[in-house]
Amino acid sequence: MLNEKTIFTFIEKTEITSDGKKTFYFTQMQKPEDMIPMMVTGSLSFKKEEAEEMFNLIVQNNGQMESQTILKTIIK
């Protein structure tokens, strides 16, 4: 396998639409088993600073966008 690491990429994309020219930012993540990188859900923003902050959080958490911890279970 060529790549054994997860790749995180911060993207700026500009599109021409009927509303004019729009620029937005997002994070792509590619895991070793993925053939193509995918946009990380929740990372899209029209504000570069906001999107870059999200990018940094995504990288810090290795792409894990949520976690869950069982605090207590009772079986009677």
Side-chain angles (χ1 to χ4, degrees):
M1 184 172 283
L2 295 175
N3 176 30
E4 295 293 331
K5 298 182 180 187
T6 300
I7 300 169
F8 297 94
T9 309
F10 186 49
I11 307 287
E12 175 183 273
K13 185 172 183 177
T14 302
E15 292 183 352
I16 305 299
T17 69
S18 60
D19 295 328
K21 187 176 178 181
K22 300 285 184 181
T23 300
F24 53 95
Y25 308 87
F26 60 94
T27 299
Q28 279 186 338
M29 180 173 68
Q30 184 175 6
K31 294 183 178 181
E33 64 272 11
D34 295 339
M35 294 297 290
I36 58 172
M38 302 296 287
M39 183 175 86
V40 177
T41 303
S43 70
L44 180 67
S45 178
F46 289 99
K47 298 178 183 174
K48 185 176 182 178
E49 296 78 19
E50 185 178 275
E52 192 164 14
E53 184 177 330
M54 189 67 169
F55 172 80
N56 292 331
L57 287 170
I58 291 166
V59 172
Q60 285 174 358
N61 290 288
N62 199 31
Q64 186 173 341
M65 293 300 289
E66 61 180 44
S67 64
Q68 181 174 307
T69 304
I70 297 171
L71 299 176
K72 188 185 282 189
T73 300
I74 299 172
I75 300 174
K76 289 184 148 189

